[in-house]
């Protein structure tokens, strides 16, 4: 069979930049999988995807000119149905005709056992697909399955036909080695070898490709285009680093992978240039300037060694003129009004205090069933005050402000900061800056709080109460921010669950899963001494009692607790804990999530002990016995302990139990479980020599009480029966 490398390219108008990489990978992936399914390409063939603003292409190695023929076996019918006295029945002849065979094929039919019956099979040979036919099918499927954000309908050159695609297509290349794959068509275009390079800097127009293997080289040389998305991205990163190094002083371009991807999708031959703006704009918070340069202009701001914004920035141009001054001046002229707008918004916003903006929140609708942002602020304040009083009552000694105040003064100060931060947290939503740049909510509130002379604890909390915004994001910096963030997320969760707005499948428009994970992370990673049940209860009672919002569903708290535990279980499994370990710990529904990591580590250490499998299996057996027995009293009457094995188990519990309980009380869960491992021998002996369900009621109840006490002792850290195989 003749093999050669295959190159397929669709030349189109500018593709959506944020979807370009995904489109390129999908195009190449589907093309290869379809060719492999037809036997034209090997499953492990090397596939190279190309994606630039005006092209999608794929290079696939070792593609056959025609797929090999293959044997096909068709199951026909039972022998008893297909043959009568050795002659074919009409049903058999009809089936053979449908397969393209005649009566002469009867003699070649095979008989095979199929269960109790003997069945007739017809063997035939299917001709392998030609590359032209196979590629046509693969190309049609690749186009149909592209993850296109939004299609457009356009008219073809004949003036009559129209097609749907992400952007109008103007060229199709299909090369097998150096030969055009004749007969292949797509979107009204016939395959050829001509493509097009850079709009302004191509050395040849069109670029006539010599073979599939010269595609990238010819485009780079004759077409002035880097066709590979990955190579273009690496080249931009290299030029950004070089430009920053030339400036010196330790400046570095801001790190933003999404921006780098988007710029890579906007240019075909990148050229990084250094630009600057007036230093007076640096008086504006750098987050505003950085955002407007990145979001609106796709520029890379330059930061100094301390992470402060400088007045220089980098642009990625799609052209490389000998004198780039016009390009530089044009980009500097374009960015200046953007920065001037940001400065104007900042100056205007500072003329009004955040407190004066609180009444404006009553005019901002939060949700039609949950009221305005003003009403929501009242709920968050009530929840935050309750959490703050509880948390700071336990932690006040750790938060002395200057070492002279007593714990009560510190607690009062922090609770006041929590209340002020919760009151002002959403006020920046009605500022001009956040109205223009919603991404800066919280950040601008912190700047304006400092401008109003509020304490840093309040300013940090206003900024941090949105955290964590995404997976891996930093948590609030201090406890005031933690309290307000917890209150804000719990209010959202309770409110949405209370009106039945639960996430379903992939739909989670209010980011409830993210809010739940945020609550989990704050409680666990910050080791907060707060009970989850209490928190949810306070969110329901303190937050929504008498707020005028729609009445919450009666099972809101229970549904929300189940939801948070489900998210916790999923998060723990993603962190590398086994399903058995997670199930064992969460089966007890620990009140304080801050204890969960220590319990998991204790269970993991216990599972490595040689006694663990036997104790887990025994624990499962005990649980089943107690479940069938119903309500069992854990009281044990020593006088009724007749068998030596039950007396030994009782003595072992009396000896080991107090130590394990003391270790559990100190939070030393690992030592507690390892202490209980000493029960293996007496537990095994008990089940070997003692009949639990004795006929005498007093003996049976006493033995069940002993097992109840054993079960209670063994399952304080986790439900060890979940570790049983």
């Amino acid at each position: 069979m003749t093999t050669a490398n295959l190159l397929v390219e669709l030349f189109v108008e500018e593709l959506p930049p944020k979807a370009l990489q995904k489109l390129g990978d999908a195009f190449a992936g589907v093309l290869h999988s379809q060719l492999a399914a037809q036997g034209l390409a090997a499953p492990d063939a090397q596939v190279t995807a190309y994606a630039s603003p005006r092209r999608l292409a794929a290079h696939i190695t070792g593609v056959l000119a025609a797929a090999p023929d293959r044997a096909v076996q068709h199951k026909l019918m039972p022998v008893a149905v297909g043959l009568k006295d050795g002659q074919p029945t009409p049903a058999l002849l009809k089936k053979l005709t449908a397969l393209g065979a005649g009566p002469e094929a009867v003699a070649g039919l095979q008989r095979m056992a199929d269960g109790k019956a003997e069945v007739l099979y017809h063997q035939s040979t299917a001709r392998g697909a030609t590359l032209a036919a196979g590629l046509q099918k693969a190309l049609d499927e690749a186009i149909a399955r592209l993850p296109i954000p939004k299609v457009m309908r356009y008219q073809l050159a004949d003036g009559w036909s129209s097609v749907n695609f992400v952007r109008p297509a103007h060229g199709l290349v299909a090369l097998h080695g150096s030969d055009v794959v004749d007969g292949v068509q797509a979107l009204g275009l016939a395959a050829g070898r001509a493509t097009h390079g850079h709009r302004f800097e191509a050395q040849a127009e069109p670029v006539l490709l010599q073979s599939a293997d010269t595609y990238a080289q010819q485009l780079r040389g004759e077409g002035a285009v880097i066709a590979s998305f990955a190579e273009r991205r690496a080249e931009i990163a290299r030029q950004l680093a070089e430009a920053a190094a030339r400036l010196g002083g330790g400046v570095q371009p801001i790190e933003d992978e999404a921006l780098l991807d988007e710029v890579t999708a906007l240019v075909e031959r990148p050229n990084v240039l250094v630009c600057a703006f007036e230093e007076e704009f640096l008086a504006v918070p750098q987050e505003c300037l950085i955002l407007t340069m990145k979001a609106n202009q796709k520029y890379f701001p330059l930061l100094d060694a301390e992470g402060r914004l400088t007045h220089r920035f980098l642009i990625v141009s799609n052209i490389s003129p000998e004198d780039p001054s016009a390009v530089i001046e044009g980009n500097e002229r374009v960015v200046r009004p953007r920065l001037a707008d940001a400065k104007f918004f900042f100056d205007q916003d500072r003329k009004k205090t955040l407190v004066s903006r609180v009444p404006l929140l009553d005019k901002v609708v939060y949700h039609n069933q949950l009221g305005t942002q003003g009403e929501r602020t009242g709920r968050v304040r009530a929840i935050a005050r309750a959490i703050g009083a509880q948390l700071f009552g336990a932690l006040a000694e750790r938060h002395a402000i200057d070492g002279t105040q007593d714990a009560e003064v510190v607690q009062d100060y922090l609770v006041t900061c929590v209340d002020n931060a919760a009151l002002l947290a959403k006020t920046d939503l009605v500022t001009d800056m956040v109205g223009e740049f919603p991404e800066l909510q919280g950040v601008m509130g912190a700047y304006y709080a400092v401008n109003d002379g509020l304490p840093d604890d309040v300013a940090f909390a206003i900024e941090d109460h949105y955290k964590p915004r995404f997976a891996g994001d930093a948590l609030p910096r201090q406890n005031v921010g933690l309290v307000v963030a917890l209150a804000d997320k719990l209010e959202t969760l309770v409110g949405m669950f209370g009106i039945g707005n639960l996430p379903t499948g992939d739909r989670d428009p209010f980011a409830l899963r993210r809010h739940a994970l945020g609550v989990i992370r704050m409680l666990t990673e910050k080791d907060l001494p707060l009970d989850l049940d209490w928190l949810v209860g306070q969110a329901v009672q303190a937050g929504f009692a008498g707020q005028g919002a729609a009445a919450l569903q009666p099972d809101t708290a229970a549904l929300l607790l189940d939801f948070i535990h489900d998210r916790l279980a999923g998060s723990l499994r993603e962190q590398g804990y086994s399903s058995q370990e997670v199930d064992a710990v969460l089966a007890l529904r620990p009140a304080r999530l801050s204890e969960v990591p220590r319990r998991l580590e204790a269970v993991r250490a216990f599972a490595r002990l040689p006694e663990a499998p036997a104790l887990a299996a025994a624990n499962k057996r005990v649980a089943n016995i107690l479940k069938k027995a119903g309500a069992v009293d854990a009281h044990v009457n020593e006088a009724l302990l007749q068998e030596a094995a039950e007396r030994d188990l009782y003595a072992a519990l009396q000896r080991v139990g107090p130590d394990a309980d003391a270790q559990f009380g100190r939070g030393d869960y690992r030592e507690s479980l390892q202490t209980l491992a000493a029960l293996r021998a007496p537990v095994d002996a008990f089940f070997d020599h003692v009949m639990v369900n004795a006929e005498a009621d007093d003996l049976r109840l006493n033995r069940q009480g002993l097992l109840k006490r054993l079960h209670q002792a063994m399952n304080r850290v986790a439900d060890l029966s979940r570790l049983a195989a």
Side-chain angles (χ1 to χ4, degrees):
M1 291 292 180
T2 303
T3 63
N5 296 338
L6 177 71
L7 184 283
V8 179
E9 182 206 64
L10 265 177
F11 183 77
V12 298
E13 294 182 13
E14 277 74 5
L15 292 160
K18 291 185 178 180
L20 179 63
Q21 187 175 17
K22 187 184 295 185
L23 290 172
D25 291 342
F27 182 74
V30 175
L31 206 61
H32 169 248
S33 65
Q34 290 295 310
L35 290 173
Q38 299 176 75
L40 290 164
D44 59 350
Q46 185 176 343
V47 181
T48 305
Y50 295 99
S52 81
R54 297 198 297 159
R55 74 199 73 240
L56 297 175
H59 181 273
I60 304 172
T61 61
V63 176
L64 296 167
D69 297 342
R70 55 191 176 88
V72 180
Q73 184 182 67
H74 294 281
K75 181 179 178 180
L76 300 176
M77 59 190 67
V79 174
V81 177
L83 297 174
K84 294 295 184 183
D85 300 326
Q87 298 300 313
T89 63
L92 178 59
L93 293 175
K94 184 177 181 181
K95 183 71 173 178
L96 290 172
T97 301
L99 294 174
E104 67 279 0
V106 173
L109 297 181
Q110 293 184 348
R111 301 186 182 198
M112 296 184 188
D114 186 6
K116 295 183 179 180
E118 193 176 21
V119 177
L120 293 171
Y121 285 85
H122 176 255
Q123 301 283 348
S124 63
T125 301
R127 293 185 61 81
T130 64
L131 179 57
L135 179 57
Q136 183 66 63
K137 180 180 178 181
L139 184 56
D140 291 343
E141 189 69 15
I143 292 173
R145 289 169 55 181
L146 280 178
I148 299 174
K150 190 175 182 180
V151 298
M152 62 181 296
R153 187 176 184 86
Y154 62 94
Q155 196 173 58
L156 298 179
D158 60 14
W160 297 96
S161 307
S162 59
V163 294
N164 296 324
F165 195 53
V166 58
R167 291 291 186 271
H170 296 291
L172 174 64
V173 173
L175 291 177
H176 187 234
S178 58
D179 299 326
V180 175
V181 184
D182 292 322
V184 175
Q185 298 182 345
L187 303 173
L189 302 166
R193 65 171 69 246
T195 186
H196 304 274
H198 196 284
R199 282 189 185 275
F200 309 110
E201 299 184 351
Q203 301 299 310
E205 181 57 35
V207 177
L208 298 178
L209 300 174
Q210 299 169 12
S211 73
D213 293 341
T214 63
Y215 175 72
Q217 177 185 350
Q218 283 189 259
L219 269 182
R220 184 185 281 263
E222 300 175 34
V225 170
I226 302 175
S228 168
F229 188 96
E231 290 181 20
R232 208 162 57 252
R233 190 181 193 275
E235 175 63 16
I236 293 174
R238 184 190 65 79
Q239 290 190 34
L240 289 172
E242 282 188 358
R246 286 197 302 271
L247 291 173
V251 297
Q252 292 291 332
I254 196 164
E255 293 185 10
D256 190 320
E257 298 298 314
L259 176 61
L260 183 56
D261 286 341
E262 188 172 1
V263 170
T264 302
L266 287 170
V267 299
E268 292 192 307
R269 189 171 74 167
N271 179 32
V272 172
L273 301 171
V274 180
C275 302
F277 58 81
E278 290 77 3
E279 294 190 44
E280 66 185 74
F281 290 122
L282 293 176
V284 179
Q286 69 177 39
E287 292 88 348
C288 308
L289 306 181
I290 290 172
L291 182 60
T292 191
M293 284 191 282
K294 288 183 356 180
N296 296 322
Q297 304 304 132
K298 315 304 176 189
Y299 296 159
F300 287 84
L302 285 168
L303 308 179
D304 65 17
E306 284 73 40
R308 295 189 300 264
L309 181 68
T310 70
H311 71 291
R312 292 188 175 91
F313 59 94
L314 302 178
I315 67 167
V316 182
S317 174
N318 195 36
I319 55 176
S320 303
E322 292 184 6
D323 180 7
S325 58
V327 177
I328 293 172
E329 291 171 6
N331 281 275
E332 291 176 344
R333 185 171 62 252
V334 167
V335 80
R336 196 171 294 117
R338 297 281 189 183
L339 303 183
D341 286 346
K343 185 175 186 301
F344 174 77
F345 293 145
F346 184 57
D347 291 340
Q348 291 298 111
D349 286 342
R350 287 184 295 170
K351 294 178 181 179
K352 294 178 64 176
T353 64
L354 292 180
V355 172
S356 70
R357 297 179 185 274
V358 172
L360 297 177
L361 295 176
D362 292 327
K363 300 178 182 179
V364 180
V365 175
Y366 167 57
H367 190 281
N368 62 351
Q369 290 180 262
L370 296 172
T372 65
Q373 285 287 1
E375 292 172 305
R376 182 170 184 244
T377 294
R379 295 193 292 270
V380 173
R381 286 183 73 190
I383 298 169
R385 284 196 297 266
I387 297 174
Q390 178 75 10
L391 179 63
F392 298 139
L395 301 180
E397 294 292 348
R398 304 180 193 176
H399 295 279
I401 300 168
D402 59 11
T404 61
Q405 292 89 344
D406 59 27
E408 186 175 347
V409 172
V410 174
Q411 180 179 353
D412 290 343
Y413 165 79
L414 293 173
V415 171
T416 301
C417 287
V418 164
D419 190 46
N420 287 337
L423 172 67
L424 304 176
K426 304 298 181 185
T427 51
D428 64 354
L429 296 178
V430 291
T431 62
D432 292 338
M433 185 71 82
V434 175
E436 180 70 16
F437 302 111
E439 301 91 336
L440 294 177
Q441 56 187 334
V443 174
M444 295 313 302
Y447 278 107
Y448 297 144
V450 172
N451 182 71
D452 294 348
L454 296 173
D456 287 346
D457 288 292
V458 174
F460 290 156
I462 291 174
E463 178 179 354
D464 290 352
H465 85 281
Y466 288 104
K467 296 178 180 178
R469 296 173 185 258
F470 50 85
D473 190 20
L475 298 179
R477 285 163 281 189
Q478 27 81 311
N479 283 323
V480 174
L482 280 170
V483 170
V484 180
L486 278 172
D488 184 69
K489 288 169 175 56
L490 286 169
E491 189 279 337
T492 300
L493 288 164
V494 169
M496 292 302 165
F497 270 73
I499 61 174
N501 236 336
L502 280 63
T504 56
D506 293 335
R507 285 185 52 79
D508 188 9
F510 295 97
L512 301 185
R513 295 186 180 98
R514 176 168 57 81
H515 284 311
L517 286 173
V519 171
I520 290 166
R521 284 190 59 201
M522 285 186 278
L523 292 176
T524 55
E525 295 179 26
K526 293 295 185 177
D527 197 19
L528 299 183
L530 297 170
D531 291 354
L532 179 62
D533 289 15
W534 180 87
L535 283 170
V536 172
Q538 286 299 308
V540 173
Q541 296 167 16
F544 285 85
Q547 289 296 315
L552 300 182
Q553 296 180 4
D555 57 349
T556 296
L559 284 173
L560 179 53
L561 285 169
D562 288 343
F563 178 75
I564 292 175
H565 276 96
D566 285 344
R567 302 308 301 165
L568 174 59
S571 174
L572 293 172
R573 285 192 290 267
E574 289 175 1
Q575 293 174 39
Y577 294 104
S578 71
S579 295
Q580 286 181 314
E581 293 166 345
V582 173
D583 290 345
V585 171
L586 297 190
L588 301 185
R589 299 292 283 260
R592 292 191 176 178
L593 299 191
S594 57
E595 298 176 352
V596 168
R598 296 199 304 275
R599 291 183 184 233
L600 280 166
E601 290 303 323
V603 168
R604 178 170 283 181
F606 173 80
R608 290 194 289 264
L609 298 176
E611 299 89 347
L615 282 173
N619 205 25
K620 186 173 183 179
R621 185 174 178 182
V622 170
N624 290 332
I625 292 172
L626 295 176
K627 183 178 180 181
K628 292 178 181 178
V632 175
D633 187 0
H635 175 73
V636 177
N637 185 347
E638 289 187 67
L640 294 175
L641 299 174
Q642 296 183 352
E643 302 290 341
E646 60 183 325
R647 289 195 297 271
D648 290 344
L649 176 58
Y650 179 73
L653 273 174
Q654 293 293 91
R655 183 176 63 256
V656 169
D659 290 342
D661 289 344
Q663 291 159 344
F664 179 86
R666 295 195 301 267
D668 196 346
Y669 302 132
R670 180 191 293 244
E671 289 299 320
S672 180
L673 286 180
Q674 291 182 346
T675 298
L676 291 168
L679 294 173
R680 177 191 173 176
V683 168
D684 288 347
F686 178 88
F687 282 114
D688 287 341
H689 301 101
V690 177
M691 173 67 71
V692 177
N693 292 323
E695 293 185 7
D697 290 344
D698 55 350
L699 289 181
R700 183 177 65 256
L701 292 175
N702 201 55
R703 288 168 181 173
Q704 289 174 351
L706 179 59
L707 291 182
K708 179 76 170 182
R709 183 173 292 191
L710 172 66
H711 191 262
Q712 290 174 342
M714 292 292 298
N715 293 283
R716 298 191 69 185
V717 175
D719 181 356
L720 299 183
S721 67
R722 304 296 180 103
L723 300 178

